[in-house]
Structures are given as C-alpha cells and as structure tokens.
Amino acid sequence: MQFSWNILSGLLLASACGCAAAQAQQDLQPIRAAALAALQADATAQAMIAPGLRLTACSQPLVAVPSTPAVAEVQCPDTPGWRLYVPVRKPGTRIVRALPDHSDSVADAVTVKRGDPVVLRVSIGGTEVRMGGKALGQASAGGIVNVENDSSHRIIRGRLAADGTVEILN
C-alpha cells in the first residue's frame, strides 16, 4: 500500500479543505468540455473522468491547458482550488499493425513505442486514478513497459492494457 501512495503523491491535487457537507460540488461536464477544448478534440473524443469524482464547486471559469497530446490539465483558480489531469481518448489513435502472415487482415492490436503519450492507471480500494505519462520503451497489449509520470517524472513499471492504458504494477 505504501508504494501506491508514493506513486499517487502529488497526483490527486483536489482541494484539501475540510469540506463541509453543505459545500457545492463541481459538475463534471464543464471539466470534460474544458479538457476537450484544451486538446482541440472533436465531438467524437471522450474525456475520461471517473463518474464518482467529487470536487468543490469552482466559482471562477476553469482553466485548461494540454499536458500531453492525450491529457489536459484542468484547474480551478479559486483558493485553495484544485487541479485535475484528464485523459482524452480520440478515436483512431490506436496504432494498427499487420499480422505476420501473408493475408490482408489487420490486427487492432494496441502498441506503444518510446516517447508515446500514455494514460497511467492505478486502482486502490475501489478508487481508480488516471494520469498522463510517456512510454520509455515499446510494448504490445499485455506487455510490460516502463513509463514516466508527467507530473512527478518518476519512472513506473506497468502493463499495457487492451484499451491503451498502462496499469501500474505494485
């Protein structure tokens, strides 16, 4: 458990105030819209935010900037405010690779190569956290790859999932 918390330190920068039950919660739709706008994504793109995420309502307009080509940093400029890294999945971003046989069929296998932006994923006690990263090697779905966390710049080992995310190994 200690390893997982070390990975997550600095990643969940949601407001750390003693939030009372009476405080309003931020609607997730404006966060999605800001992330898509920051990455100039079209209507077919999908901003991936956990539906159970609870953030303090922001009284000012959200600020969003690209963190990587596939991750937007969305923040609330209030004090204390919060910051969230939102992975954005754009259709057609998977790398398609030909099968080794001589047929014309193509596998829809997910692969990453060194330098590709990836979404890191870790689950702790029913909570899933996603953050941006960069592949430091090559891997196909199911393979192990080292990645660099965009926020902390730590090197983390993970398994490339079929959906293109990298599941962090403990």
Side-chain angles (χ1 to χ4, degrees):
M1 186 66 133
Q2 180 64 33
F3 175 77
S4 297
W5 284 114
N6 285 339
I7 291 172
L8 296 176
S9 64
L11 297 176
L12 290 176
L13 299 175
S15 139
C17 64
C19 297
Q23 283 188 323
Q25 292 184 3
Q26 176 68 42
D27 181 21
L28 300 182
Q29 190 53 40
I31 297 172
R32 286 186 185 96
L36 293 172
L39 295 177
Q40 300 176 346
D42 60 19
T44 61
Q46 182 181 23
M48 298 182 290
I49 300 175
L53 183 66
R54 302 288 182 250
L55 298 170
T56 305
C58 191
S59 64
Q60 300 181 49
L62 298 175
V63 176
V65 295
S67 176
T68 70
V71 178
E73 177 185 333
V74 181
Q75 56 184 300
C76 172
D78 287 351
T79 301
W82 44 262
R83 182 182 328 179
L84 187 65
Y85 290 90
V86 181
V88 174
R89 180 177 295 155
K90 299 175 185 176
T93 56
R94 289 184 174 180
I95 299 170
V96 179
R97 182 177 55 159
L99 291 172
D101 65 8
H102 299 290
S103 70
D104 291 332
S105 62
V106 175
D108 192 18
V110 176
T111 61
V112 294
K113 63 181 189 292
R114 183 177 182 86
D116 282 350
V118 295
V119 175
L120 304 172
R121 178 172 48 98
V122 64
S123 297
I124 299 173
T127 301
E128 183 174 272
V129 177
R130 292 175 179 241
M131 68 231 52
K134 178 175 63 173
L136 298 177
Q138 183 173 338
S140 296
I144 304 296
V145 63
N146 285 337
V147 294
E148 180 181 2
N149 180 306
D150 286 340
S151 300
S152 66
H153 300 290
R154 287 187 176 187
I155 308 297
I156 303 166
R157 193 167 179 85
R159 182 177 313 278
L160 183 63
D163 65 358
T165 62
V166 176
E167 183 177 355
I168 296 172
L169 301 174
N170 291 350

